[in-house]
């Protein structure tokens, strides 16, 4: 029976053109006796309808339902609520209208997320459908924001199998400027994220992508004492004097107070925005994020999210877990974790141990290496760092000088320069002649050596020239860096790349004299490459340039003028070869006689 009914509906739809649909709508709006036109018009609101038919039908349905919505009962109401028979029949009629309105909303959501090919005509239809749906959200709840319809709308977007970028961008451009739309968006996204917690599948990853695309475009609320400038999509508390529509006198006495207590003003929403923003993001970050979303979140977290949270320290679990993963994920988490530690008092005891492990050659090929090196320089700026920790970082970076490209060598040299200048107690690593100097170190050096005593005991008979630094040790406290030296710096003084060897000369200065030296801006070298090095070399002004001019193409490698006072007797090549063969025979004969 169901297929026959569907076929009959299709045949009915085929009999109507745009003019007939317009006539059906005008008749419906002109008299209640034409209420049977309502189901006919609803049939044209579906993804398979031609755009002109859909829009014409939607225009009539929008005009019909909009003034009736405040008087319609809720979807959960029952006819038993109306005691008198007259009221009961009226209630049944309104309940039927409510069911048709619910069908309309369902059809509109199907049109919005339909996977049909996107083109200008379809996009125009979806924009009209979105505007109609948002009008219902504004009016359907007696002037208050209809959060239930809006939640169904966001649920459809998030679980859509087709691309939702156009819809979300349209919602952002037209409606996210209203503070109540942002407020209920964050509430709905928090609920949707909570329902996905613990689930892992391909469809779940798609939903997470859609949630992230939506939540990342919700503008955060900027604190402002003046809330009069905030725009509301629904009616505010001050405007909401009494419910609209045709209701009885008892309802007029009771409902205004009930509505006034539940209507949110712009001032009330502004006070809760930061909390809702925090709850929505925390619920999202608890999901099993795909790797691409994970990386994008970490890149933008310190700029887009952390400054607008009610309590940023609540992100510590997510960030420490990300920082412990290692590799590029740890590099991306470093920015946000550093902000929490320096600005919000987060304590993370193993921070420097994890940072030390990140210093590997592959970091110089990472996409976000520029930000990483700047943060690394900031993390090593504190004068309260123990000497063994500063020495371990300086030594490991100097070891990396032997295996990284020239652009990375420039960054490492800048970092070592700043470390040596900030921590005079480790300058002994630059000039360490023999093991006798080991016992004459300053107090800080002795303390650091004592800390490494378990793994750093060297017998007196051990030979000179052995580097006691353990490059593979992940714990900087056990690396024996204070018993080593920065001999790698002397190696790069003969580097094949001139900018590297020239820059390394700065490390030969006495960096303990702070008045005569200055720190190097790591940001000037952090994003370098072969192209930037070549560009800088080509733009250098050289005072003396070796040049060679020839009036004619030279026929020999050297001319007689190159060897003044010398004369050369050129022999024929064959004679020379013949003479060499005879000499070889004589020598061989002599060797035989000797034997």
């Amino acid at each position: 029976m169901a297929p026959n009914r569907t076929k009959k509906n299709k045949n009915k739809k085929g009999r109507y053109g745009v003019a007939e649909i317009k006539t059906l709508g005008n008749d419906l709006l002109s008299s209640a006796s034409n209420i049977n036109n309502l189901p006919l018009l609803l049939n044209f609101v579906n993804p398979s309808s031609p755009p002109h038919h859909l829009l014409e039908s939607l225009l009539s349905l929008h005009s019909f339902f909009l003034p009736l919505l405040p008087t319609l009962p809720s979807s959960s109401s029952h006819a038993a609520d109306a005691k008198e028979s007259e009221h009961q029949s009226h209630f049944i009629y309104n309940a039927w209208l409510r069911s048709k309105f619910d069908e309309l909303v369902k059809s509109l959501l199907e049109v919005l997320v339909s996977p049909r090919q996107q083109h200008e005509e379809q996009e125009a239809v979806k924009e009209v459908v979105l505007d109609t749906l948002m009008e219902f959200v504004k009016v359907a709840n007696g002037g208050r924001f209809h959060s239930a319809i809006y939640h169904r709308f966001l649920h459809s977007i998030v679980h859509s199998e087709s691309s939702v970028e156009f819809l979300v961008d349209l919602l952002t451009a037209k409606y996210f400027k209203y503070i109540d739309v942002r407020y209920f968006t964050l509430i709905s996204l928090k609920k949707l994220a909570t329902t996905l917690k613990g689930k892992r599948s391909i469809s779940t990853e798609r939903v997470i992508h859609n949630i992230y695309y939506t939540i990342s475009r919700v503008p955060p609320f900027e604190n402002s004492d003046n809330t009069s400038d905030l725009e509301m999509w629904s009616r505010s508390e001050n405007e909401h004097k009494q419910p609209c529509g045709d209701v009885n006198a008892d309802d007029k006495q009771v409902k205004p107070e009930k509505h006034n207590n539940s209507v949110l003003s712009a001032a009330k929403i502004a006070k809760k925005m930061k909390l809702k923003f925090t709850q929505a993001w925390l619920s999202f970050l608890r999901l099993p994020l795909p790797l691409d979303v994970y990386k994008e979140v970490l890149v933008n977290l310190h700029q887009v999210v952390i400054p607008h949270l009610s309590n940023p320290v609540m992100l510590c679990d997510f960030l420490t877990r990300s920082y412990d993963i290692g590799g590029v994920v740890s590099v991306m988490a470093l920015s946000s974790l550093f902000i929490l530690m320096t600005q919000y008092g987060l304590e993370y005891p193993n921070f420097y141990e994890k940072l030390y492990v990140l210093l590997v050659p592959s970091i110089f090929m990472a996409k976000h290496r520029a930000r990483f090196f700047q943060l690394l320089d900031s993390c090593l700026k504190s004068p309260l760092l123990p000497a063994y920790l500063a020495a371990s970082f300086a030594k490991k970076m100097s070891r990396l000088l032997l295996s990284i490209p020239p652009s990375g060598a420039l960054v490492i040299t800048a970092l070592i320069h700043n470390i040596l200048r900030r921590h005079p107690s480790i300058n002994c690593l630059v000039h360490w002649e023999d093991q006798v100097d080991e016992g004459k170190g300053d107090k800080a050096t002795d303390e650091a050596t004592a800390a490494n005593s378990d793994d750093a005991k060297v017998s007196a008979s051990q030979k000179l020239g052995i580097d006691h630094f353990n490059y593979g040790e992940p714990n900087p406290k056990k690396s024996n860096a204070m018993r080593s030296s920065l001999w790698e710096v002397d190696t790069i003084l003969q580097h094949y790349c001139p900018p590297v060897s020239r820059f390394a000369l700065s490390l030969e200065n006495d960096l303990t004299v702070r008045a005569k030296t200055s720190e190097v801006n790591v940001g000037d070298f952090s994003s370098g490459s072969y192209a930037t090095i070549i560009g800088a070399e080509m733009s250098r002004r050289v005072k003396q340039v070796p040049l060679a001019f020839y009036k004619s193409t030279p026929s020999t490698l050297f001319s007689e003028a190159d060897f003044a006072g010398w004369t050369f007797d050129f022999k024929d090549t064959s004679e020379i070869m013949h003479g060499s063969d005879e000499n070889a025979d004589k020598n061989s004969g002599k060797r035989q006689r000797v034997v």
Side-chain angles (χ1 to χ4, degrees), residues 351-365:
F351 175 78
Y352 283 99
E353 284 78 358
K354 299 293 183 181
L355 183 62
Y356 183 77
V357 174
L358 293 178
L359 290 174
V360 292
S362 60
I363 197 67
F364 296 90
M365 304 298 175

Side-chain angles (χ1 to χ4, degrees), residues 25-26 28-29 56-69 104 132 136:
N26 291 334
L28 176 65
L29 296 174
E56 190 61 44
S57 175
L58 183 58
L59 181 63
S60 300
L61 293 171
H62 175 267
S63 302
F64 174 76
F65 276 113
L66 204 61
L68 295 177
L69 286 178
L104 174 61
T132 303
F136 292 157

Side-chain angles (χ1 to χ4, degrees), residues 201-241:
S201 64
I202 297 177
S203 60
T204 303
E205 288 188 5
R206 185 185 66 251
V207 173
I208 292 175
H209 274 89
N210 293 339
I211 292 178
Y212 175 68
Y213 193 82
T214 306
I215 196 174
S216 62
R217 277 150 183 79
V218 179
F221 176 71
E222 301 292 342
N223 289 329
S224 176
D225 297 333
N226 186 12
T227 58
S228 59
D229 297 336
L230 299 176
E231 295 184 78
M232 296 275 289
W233 176 243
S234 59
R235 294 170 62 182
S236 64
E237 186 179 31
N238 296 330
E239 296 172 345
H240 198 91
K241 301 295 183 184

Side-chain angles (χ1 to χ4, degrees), residues 573-585:
T573 307
S574 60
E575 294 180 0
I576 297 174
M577 295 298 297
H578 180 69
S580 62
D581 293 339
E582 291 180 351
N583 293 332
D585 294 338

Side-chain angles (χ1 to χ4, degrees), residues 273-475:
M273 275 296 292
K274 219 167 192 180
L275 178 61
K276 299 303 180 184
F277 185 85
T278 303
Q279 292 175 346
W281 271 100
L282 289 178
S283 299
F284 171 73
L285 294 178
R286 294 189 184 102
L287 297 176
L289 303 181
L291 185 59
D292 56 340
V293 176
Y294 205 143
K295 291 180 178 180
E296 191 171 348
V297 167
L298 290 174
V299 169
N300 301 319
L301 201 63
H302 66 286
Q303 294 177 335
V304 179
V305 179
I306 289 180
H308 308 286
L309 297 179
S310 58
N311 185 12
V313 181
M314 298 176 71
L315 287 176
C316 65
D317 291 339
F318 172 76
L319 290 175
T320 53
R321 186 171 65 251
S322 303
Y323 194 59
D324 292 341
I325 292 176
V328 67
V329 176
S330 296
V331 174
M332 293 177 172
L334 181 60
S335 297
S336 301
L337 193 60
F338 180 73
I339 289 176
L340 292 187
M341 293 176 61
T342 56
Q343 299 182 18
Y344 299 97
L346 176 67
E347 294 185 4
Y348 186 42
N350 298 326
F351 175 78
Y352 283 99
E353 284 78 358
K354 299 293 183 181
L355 183 62
Y356 183 77
V357 174
L358 293 178
L359 290 174
V360 292
S362 60
I363 197 67
F364 296 90
M365 304 298 175
K367 182 180 180 180
H368 304 282
R369 62 184 181 276
R371 178 64 179 166
F372 170 76
F373 290 129
Q374 294 177 26
L375 288 172
L376 177 61
D377 184 57
S378 300
C379 294
L380 299 175
K381 187 174 291 186
S382 174
L384 301 179
L385 289 180
Y388 78 87
L389 191 60
S392 297
F393 275 92
K395 178 59 182 178
K396 189 168 187 179
M397 285 189 278
S398 67
R399 182 63 61 86
L400 290 174
L401 286 172
L402 306 178
S403 58
I404 57 177
S407 57
L410 292 174
V411 183
I412 289 300
T413 305
L415 289 168
I416 295 176
H417 179 281
N418 290 344
I419 292 176
L420 293 175
R421 186 177 182 275
R422 294 165 185 164
H423 306 279
S425 59
I426 67 169
N427 270 266
C428 58
L429 299 179
V430 179
H431 183 70
W432 195 295
E433 292 186 350
D434 51 35
Q435 285 188 347
V436 178
D437 292 337
E438 284 189 17
K440 298 181 180 180
D442 56 14
K443 184 177 180 181
T445 305
D446 293 339
E447 292 176 356
T449 305
N452 301 332
S453 58
D454 294 338
D455 299 318
K457 292 181 179 179
V458 181
S459 62
S461 61
Q462 199 163 9
K463 296 181 180 180
L464 296 176
I466 295 178
D467 192 350
H468 307 296
F469 175 69
N470 187 357
Y471 179 79
E473 173 59 50
N475 189 348

Side-chain angles (χ1 to χ4, degrees), residues 7-74:
K7 187 174 181 180
K8 186 183 294 185
N9 289 336
K10 288 185 178 179
N11 292 334
K12 284 185 178 181
K13 288 167 62 178
R15 297 202 306 263
Y16 293 99
V18 176
E20 287 78 6
I21 296 174
K22 186 174 183 180
T23 302
L24 289 175
N26 291 334
D27 293 343
L28 176 65
L29 296 174
S30 61
S31 174
S33 60
N34 298 316
I35 192 64
N36 289 331
N37 292 354
L38 178 60
L40 294 175
L41 291 172
L42 285 173
N43 288 332
F44 294 97
V45 184
N46 64 74
S48 61
S49 294
H52 296 293
H53 292 186
L54 191 153
L55 291 176
E56 190 61 44
S57 175
L58 183 58
L59 181 63
S60 300
L61 293 171
H62 175 267
S63 302
F64 174 76
F65 276 113
L66 204 61
L68 295 177
L69 286 178
T71 65
L72 297 182
S74 64

Side-chain angles (χ1 to χ4, degrees), residues 63-191:
S63 302
F64 174 76
F65 276 113
L66 204 61
L68 295 177
L69 286 178
T71 65
L72 297 182
S74 64
S75 302
S76 59
S77 300
H78 301 283
D81 296 340
K83 296 180 180 179
E84 300 180 9
S85 59
E86 181 181 354
H87 289 166
Q88 190 173 7
S89 60
H90 184 69
F91 183 88
I92 292 174
Y93 173 73
N94 285 341
W96 180 78
L97 290 178
R98 164 59 76 174
S99 66
K100 295 303 175 185
F101 173 74
D102 292 340
E103 288 182 20
L104 174 61
V105 172
K106 182 180 179 181
S107 300
L108 292 178
L109 295 177
E110 291 176 355
V111 172
L112 281 176
V113 297
S114 63
R116 296 179 64 178
Q117 185 176 3
Q118 296 287 343
H119 52 80
E120 292 183 3
E121 192 174 33
Q122 286 293 331
E123 290 180 354
V125 170
K126 289 190 175 185
E127 184 172 358
V128 174
V129 171
L130 175 62
D131 292 340
T132 303
L133 198 63
M134 292 303 294
E135 282 290 332
F136 292 157
V137 170
K138 182 178 182 179
V139 178
N141 199 21
R144 296 174 294 167
F145 195 95
H146 202 299
S147 58
I149 295 178
Y150 190 67
H151 180 75
R152 290 173 61 188
F153 165 58
L154 289 181
H155 183 276
S156 300
I157 287 181
V158 166
H159 289 83
S160 173
E161 296 182 359
S162 58
S163 175
V164 298
E165 294 182 4
F166 172 75
L167 277 178
V168 176
D169 292 342
L170 195 62
L171 187 66
T172 304
K174 301 186 70 172
Y175 296 102
F176 277 172
K177 62 181 178 180
Y178 301 106
I179 189 172
D180 52 345
V181 176
R182 282 184 276 165
Y183 177 79
F184 287 103
T185 300
L186 294 173
I187 292 178
S188 294
L189 291 177
K190 174 183 177 278
K191 294 179 181 178

